[in-house]
Amino acid sequence: MLDVVSVSNNEYLHVPSVSSYAMQENADKTSLIELLQTTLELPRLLEIFSMEAAKITAFNGLSFLYEGTEITVRGSNKGNLIHEFPLMVEDEVIGHLIYHTSEPINAIAKMQLATLHQKLGYPLRNAITFEKVQRYALVDSLTGLGNRRYFDETQERMQQRAARNDAPYVLMLLDLDNFKQVNDRYGHQAGDVVLSQFAQALKGMVRGNDTLFRFGGDEFAILLDNCDSNTANLVAQRIKLFSSTNEVMRMYQVSSSIGCARWKQEDNCRTIFSRADNALYTAKTAGKDCMKIA
């Protein structure tokens, strides 16, 4: 017995009825669970699941939304209708599966999808946990910016791409002026407020393809992808304006010195970092609250 579900291109997708699906489920159950256990990568996990879900109903796109993050299956498109299903593990909602379709999902298909969702729950929760561990290992806990390990990995990729495509990047090294006196006079809690506000401000000063880092203490770095020194000058102007107008920065008399270096053909990760570091030292000795370019 077959049910017929209409799809957008006027063809028809035949899916099993509840009874025939249950028999097929017993045959496929082990293989599907095994497939879901082959990866801890969220995108790949959803791709595997989407191939099984497509056997039940036609959909244009599929995504998973959790904790403000949305993972979309490759090749997905928007549909006329959106169907959202909470994904439960041990009576806890870990996220929502979102289907984009051209036609409504009928009641039988919803029942079949619910059974499939149960199989996805635990592997998906494990993948979320793994993704968080990976993310936190590369993130500074106070500011949410990348840490030194993440900087090294990102710069290496950017360096290889620049050499391959002749697409220069810019490295900016930043040091907060007078920050030590904040900790000495007002305590580390006040220092943490300065660092957090400065980091949050930086996020609004760069483009989406640029990356921000905190090395520790009051040392920061910015990697500006595929740009020139004019972009760095613009970012430096924004930082200077923030330092002079933000209430916390003004209260503690904190500004920022910046050393900047633009990638050259002969550069490697070490040499461009050395040039930016020397430029930072020059900015410090030149009176602080300024940027010098190597």
Side-chain angles (χ1 to χ4, degrees):
M1 177 178 179
L2 293 177
D3 296 316
V4 181
V5 180
S6 176
V7 295
S8 58
N9 60 1
N10 295 322
E11 296 178 351
Y12 290 89
L13 175 69
H14 295 274
V15 295
S17 66
V18 173
S19 57
S20 60
Y21 181 79
M23 290 185 292
Q24 184 64 32
E25 179 197 21
N26 291 330
D28 293 346
K29 183 176 180 180
T30 302
S31 60
L32 173 59
I33 292 176
E34 287 177 349
L35 282 173
L36 291 173
Q37 292 174 341
T38 60
T39 181
L40 286 171
E41 296 181 4
L42 281 168
R44 177 59 184 151
L45 197 64
L46 289 174
E47 283 185 7
I48 293 171
F49 171 81
S50 69
M51 289 186 286
E52 292 297 318
K55 298 175 183 178
I56 297 173
T57 190
F59 53 89
N60 304 80
L62 175 66
S63 61
F64 177 63
L65 181 64
Y66 74 102
E67 299 178 9
T69 300
E70 185 170 5
I71 308 295
T72 302
V73 173
R74 182 175 52 185
S76 290
N77 296 302
K78 299 293 184 182
N80 297 328
L81 300 173
I82 296 176
H83 309 269
E84 186 170 329
F85 299 87
L87 198 64
M88 306 283 294
V89 176
E90 298 176 355
D91 297 324
E92 178 186 357
V93 177
I94 64 170
H96 292 79
L97 284 168
I98 302 171
Y99 294 82
H100 290 263
T101 70
S102 298
E103 301 288 340
I105 300 178
N106 62 42
I108 294 175
K110 286 181 179 180
M111 292 174 57
Q112 296 168 354
L113 288 174
T115 300
L116 210 60
H117 294 168
Q118 292 176 0
K119 301 173 187 176
L120 179 64
Y122 282 101
L124 199 55
R125 187 178 68 172
N126 292 339
I128 291 172
T129 301
F130 178 75
E131 190 273 337
K132 287 180 179 179
V133 170
Q134 293 292 96
R135 184 198 317 159
Y136 294 148
L138 299 173
V139 171
D140 172 62
S141 59
L142 175 64
T143 63
L145 304 185
N147 58 21
R148 182 57 188 265
R149 175 187 167 191
Y150 188 36
F151 169 83
D152 291 338
E153 293 181 4
T154 304
Q155 188 194 16
E156 180 61 36
R157 290 196 300 269
M158 202 170 285
Q159 171 71 29
Q160 293 177 3
R161 187 167 64 248
R164 183 172 60 250
N165 301 329
D166 193 24
Y169 68 93
V170 169
L171 169 61
M172 301 175 69
L173 297 180
L174 300 81
D175 190 275
L176 295 185
D177 306 320
N178 309 318
F179 180 75
K180 185 177 184 300
Q181 70 184 26
V182 178
N183 284 334
D184 292 345
R185 294 181 184 179
Y186 304 100
H188 288 279
Q189 186 173 4
D192 287 350
V193 171
V194 171
L195 293 170
S196 297
Q197 291 213 6
F198 184 70
Q200 290 304 311
L202 287 180
K203 294 176 182 179
M205 298 178 187
V206 298
R207 305 163 303 170
N209 57 331
D210 303 323
T211 321
L212 302 165
F213 310 88
R214 178 188 174 216
F215 289 168
D218 61 340
E219 299 176 352
F220 294 81
I222 305 175
L223 285 171
L224 302 174
D225 191 20
N226 195 17
C227 70
D228 55 27
S229 299
N230 291 332
T231 304
N233 281 321
L234 179 60
V235 173
Q237 291 170 16
R238 292 171 178 169
I239 293 172
K240 187 177 180 67
L241 178 62
F242 171 77
S243 299
S244 64
T245 58
N246 177 264
E247 181 179 350
V248 171
M249 302 292 280
R250 291 180 61 189
M251 179 172 63
Y252 295 122
Q253 298 182 321
V254 175
S255 57
S256 179
S257 296
I258 306 170
C260 178
R262 184 172 185 259
W263 177 82
K264 300 177 181 179
Q265 281 285 354
E266 63 270 20
D267 267 326
N268 55 41
C269 291
R270 179 184 57 80
T271 57
I272 189 174
F273 190 95
S274 179
R275 288 195 293 112
D277 195 40
N278 289 337
L280 175 60
Y281 177 79
T282 302
K284 281 288 190 183
T285 57
K288 305 177 181 180
D289 193 22
C290 64
M291 181 175 77
K292 297 296 180 181
I293 301 177

